[in-house]
Amino acid sequence: SQKIEQNSEALNIQEGKTATLTCNYTNYSPAYLQWYRQDPGRGPVFLLLIRENEKEKRKERLKVTFDTTLKQSLFHITASQPADSATYLCALINDYKLSFGAGTTVTVRA
Amino acid sequence: GAGVSQSPSNKVTEKGKDVELRCDPISGHTALYWYRQRLGQGLEFLIYFQGNSAPDKSGLPSDRFSAERTGESVSTLTIQRTQQEDSAVYLCASSWGSGHQETQYFGPGTRLLVL
């Protein structure tokens, strides 16, 4: 069956450090992968999309990698700030349908 | 401009009652999606609309769930004879089109609690 697994543990890091989140998938062959941020009581907000032929994508302090051989995406938040505290979701795209992981909650301590 | 809005923001109902959840997408967005998010779990796809038609209803959990969309705008998700396992956050999203690279914009969700 198809599975999308993200870090099962919440991530607690010190301000200024880099947070690295993992998204592993099985029985999918996605051409695209997206990362979203979700704050408590709110809907997910789109952050980045990466294509299968792109190894790495950056947006400000965010960096995403996509390894279709390992079936894995890594999401990095560099120079983390308390305002980065949220749950981060990876999503695989099949045509129009998004399939989401359960998310990883990141807490950045000042 | 205005984002996706949903109402009500919270709904508490008794088991066996029917509920209607409303979604107002971003104006001009032709695609609309409903997802369900149970506590501690990822979002589950329920249904997709392109315009007023629903080419994919594959995620609806049972025939107690139905949805419609009118005027390429508002959508209503109806759950009949609610059960306790229906308790979840129901999220609506919309996008300009439905291609691979389209960004889906999510509403804040309706938190449904079935007692």
Side-chain angles (χ1 to χ4, degrees):
Chain A
S1 62
Q2 295 178 321
K3 279 188 184 177
I4 303 168
E5 293 181 329
Q6 297 189 241
N7 305 54
S8 56
E9 301 291 325
L11 212 54
N12 288 282
I13 60 169
Q14 186 70 39
E15 183 176 9
K17 300 293 186 185
T18 296
T20 298
L21 285 63
T22 304
C23 175
N24 295 298
Y25 57 91
T26 54
N27 295 321
Y28 281 99
S29 296
Y32 303 84
L33 185 147
Q34 295 182 345
W35 283 88
Y36 287 77
R37 168 183 174 140
Q38 187 172 24
D39 291 283
R42 303 211 169 200
V45 174
F46 170 78
L47 295 175
L48 281 165
L49 175 147
I50 187 165
R51 298 172 182 78
E52 62 177 344
N53 61 353
E54 294 177 314
K55 296 300 180 190
E56 183 180 295
K57 195 85 169 272
R58 290 176 186 260
K59 179 182 175 183
E60 298 172 354
R61 294 182 295 106
L62 306 179
K63 185 178 89 170
V64 172
T65 62
F66 191 13
D67 188 326
T68 55
T69 302
L70 290 179
K71 294 187 180 297
Q72 181 181 80
S73 176
L74 298 179
F75 178 83
H76 306 271
I77 308 171
T78 59
S80 60
Q81 302 169 0
D84 296 327
S85 298
T87 297
Y88 292 87
L89 309 171
C90 74
L92 304 184
I93 305 161
N94 180 7
D95 287 329
Y96 49 82
K97 189 185 301 186
L98 293 178
S99 298
F100 285 86
T104 300
T105 299
V106 174
T107 302
V108 182
R109 303 186 307 274
Chain B
V4 178
S5 60
Q6 293 186 246
S7 61
S9 52
N10 292 282
K11 176 73 177 177
V12 181
T13 190
E14 292 179 350
K15 178 181 170 181
K17 301 281 189 186
D18 297 352
V19 295
E20 277 191 359
L21 312 180
R22 176 186 168 112
C23 172
D24 284 87
I26 293 172
S27 178
H29 280 192
T30 61
L32 186 147
Y33 316 80
W34 283 97
Y35 295 87
R36 178 170 72 177
Q37 187 173 31
R38 289 180 162 144
L39 192 63
Q41 297 186 24
L43 281 73
E44 303 169 64
F45 169 83
L46 297 179
I47 188 169
Y48 152 66
F49 286 92
Q50 180 58 48
N52 292 338
S53 65
D56 189 347
K57 305 179 184 180
S58 63
L60 294 177
S62 74
D63 58 8
R64 296 186 296 105
F65 287 72
S66 63
E68 63 175 19
R69 187 180 185 195
T70 54
E72 290 202 352
S73 181
V74 172
S75 176
T76 303
L77 177 69
T78 302
I79 309 173
Q80 295 178 308
R81 305 182 302 282
T82 51
Q83 304 293 314
Q84 289 180 332
E85 63 261 28
D86 299 334
S87 296
V89 177
Y90 290 83
L91 289 155
C92 173
S94 69
S95 61
W96 285 109
S98 55
H100 286 97
Q101 301 184 58
E102 292 289 344
T103 298
Q104 294 187 20
Y105 296 85
F106 283 82
T110 293
R111 279 145 200 80
L112 175 66
L113 178 61
V114 182
L115 300 176

